[in-house]
Amino acid sequence: MFRTRFTRRLPAAVAAAGLALAVAACGGESTDSAETAPQATAAQLNPNADLSKQSLNVTVWDGYTPKELTEKFKEKFKVSDMNIVLHATNEEAMTKLTAGGDSGIDVAFVSGQYAQALNEQGLLEPIHPELIPNLSNLYPEATQLSYDKGNKISVPYTWGTTGICYRTDLVKAPPTSWNDILKPPAWADKKVTMMTTERWLALPALKVLGYSVNTDKDEEIAKAKQLLLEAKPHLLKYDDTTFGDLLVSGDAVMVEAWDGWCPTTDEKQNIKFAVPKEGSDLWVDTMVIMKSSKNKEAAHAFINYILDPEVHRWAAENINYKVPNKAAMDQVKVAPGSLLGIKPAELLDGESIIDLGQASTKFTRLSSEVTAD
């Protein structure tokens, strides 16, 4: 049965706008790649460092790594101590990491555009490939992510796309277009949900209009807003967390969804996922090392450990997210039709969401105005 999972991207309801402003302030000007962002000066690291003299603090979403991760890492690498600090959202993590001074965090799990924003603020340690030999396990496509080509400041942990999740037994025709959500047919009226998280709320309208998901043009955002307002009366609700449950119960027949959250593993096997013909995004959750870390060798050892196929496969098998680790995915039994079977080349057809700097506030405003009662 479908399990309601942790909230990966959902902003805290009350503080969403303020946090988005903080993230935008971190981001500076928009960029297409971390190659053009100011790079942190790489520290001189010792590949033979005594890790027993180092400790490790990691911030990550609840349920996103194995429960026994701390115990096993400490046992293997003999670090003096290790702590997992949980964050509920990217925005919460950014608040911790950008508050000024040393956050005390060594490794942070954040989505790709947030890694880009942290790097633009000069807060990230460049990745030292010589300390992460398991980088060779990654798919070649995992080095071509627009926010960080070559994995210079981040290492991808999971990746996927956004589309329409639907009940095959309750729709009269399978959805093929974002218009099936924006302008639902009569039989789906009030039985459709869309997301509230800013960039994903705007995504369907931007794609239908033929615009980039990373647009910062006022006239394009205004046209997307108009489409979203026209769709609003026909929605069941805006929802980022329970849409899978609504499909299972039959209250919804089609929902905008991240692929891993589409409950295609429901025992009735009557739920499917489709990427609309207008295209979609490529989202990536990634691992970064903070420049302020005093335990950089241990931080690199941690990322290398995560990229071990026996460790990394856990994410695919337990949270139903694809991992960009070929060696790990080769060990995963993928059922016919499973979303885990989407190929890396297919994912790269999606448009990577990047940090827009100050322009991010335009999407904060759009979300607030569209979803307001």
Side-chain angles (χ1 to χ4, degrees), residues 37 189 196 272 310-311 348:
D189 196 56
T196 58
K272 301 294 182 185
E310 294 294 333
V311 178
L348 256 66

Side-chain angles (χ1 to χ4, degrees), residues 5-6 60-67 86 157 314 318-319:
R5 302 195 187 97
F6 47 87
V60 64
W61 293 278
D62 190 14
Y64 218 47
T65 54
K67 290 183 178 179
L86 300 179
Y157 179 65
W314 180 92
N318 289 273
I319 56 177

Side-chain angles (χ1 to χ4, degrees), residues 35 52 55 85 103 119 144 148 182 204 208 221 226 285 288 305 313-314 352 357:
E35 292 183 45
S52 68
S55 59
V85 181
S103 65
N119 184 56
Q144 299 302 312
D148 180 21
L182 294 167
V208 160
I221 293 173
Q226 184 58 39
D285 288 338
V288 297
Y305 177 72
R313 63 185 285 190
W314 180 92
S352 293

Side-chain angles (χ1 to χ4, degrees), residues 33-191:
S33 169
E35 292 183 45
T36 61
Q39 295 289 325
T41 302
Q44 293 297 315
L45 302 187
N46 178 9
N48 300 310
D50 182 359
L51 298 189
S52 68
K53 296 181 179 180
Q54 297 189 19
S55 59
L56 198 67
N57 291 319
V58 178
T59 186
V60 64
W61 293 278
D62 190 14
Y64 218 47
T65 54
K67 290 183 178 179
E68 66 276 11
L69 179 62
T70 297
E71 178 183 348
K72 289 191 173 182
F73 183 79
K74 287 177 66 176
E75 179 181 356
K76 183 176 179 66
F77 293 94
K78 311 302 180 185
V79 292
S80 63
D81 194 19
M82 179 177 174
N83 296 293
I84 298 289
V85 181
L86 300 179
H87 58 256
T89 67
N90 275 300
E91 290 79 7
E92 183 181 326
M94 291 295 283
T95 299
K96 293 179 187 178
L97 300 172
T98 62
D102 184 357
S103 65
I105 298 298
D106 300 294
V107 177
F109 285 70
V110 293
S111 295
Q113 66 268 36
Y114 293 85
Q116 180 190 348
L118 288 168
N119 184 56
E120 290 169 346
Q121 191 72 359
L123 296 177
L124 296 187
E125 172 71 15
I127 295 298
H128 296 248
E130 68 276 11
L131 297 185
I132 310 179
N134 282 336
L135 285 170
S136 63
N137 291 331
L138 295 177
Y139 288 104
E141 290 86 350
T143 68
Q144 299 302 312
L145 304 170
S146 62
Y147 63 86
D148 180 21
K149 289 187 177 180
N151 309 131
K152 294 182 178 180
I153 49 91
S154 64
V155 176
Y157 179 65
T158 55
W159 59 359
T161 190
T162 308
I164 300 176
C165 189
Y166 63 100
R167 281 279 297 264
T168 59
D169 56 330
L170 297 180
V171 298
K172 293 186 177 181
T176 59
S177 167
W178 285 118
N179 275 324
D180 293 318
I181 290 284
L182 294 167
K183 301 176 181 180
W187 50 264
D189 196 56
K190 299 286 189 180
K191 295 181 179 180

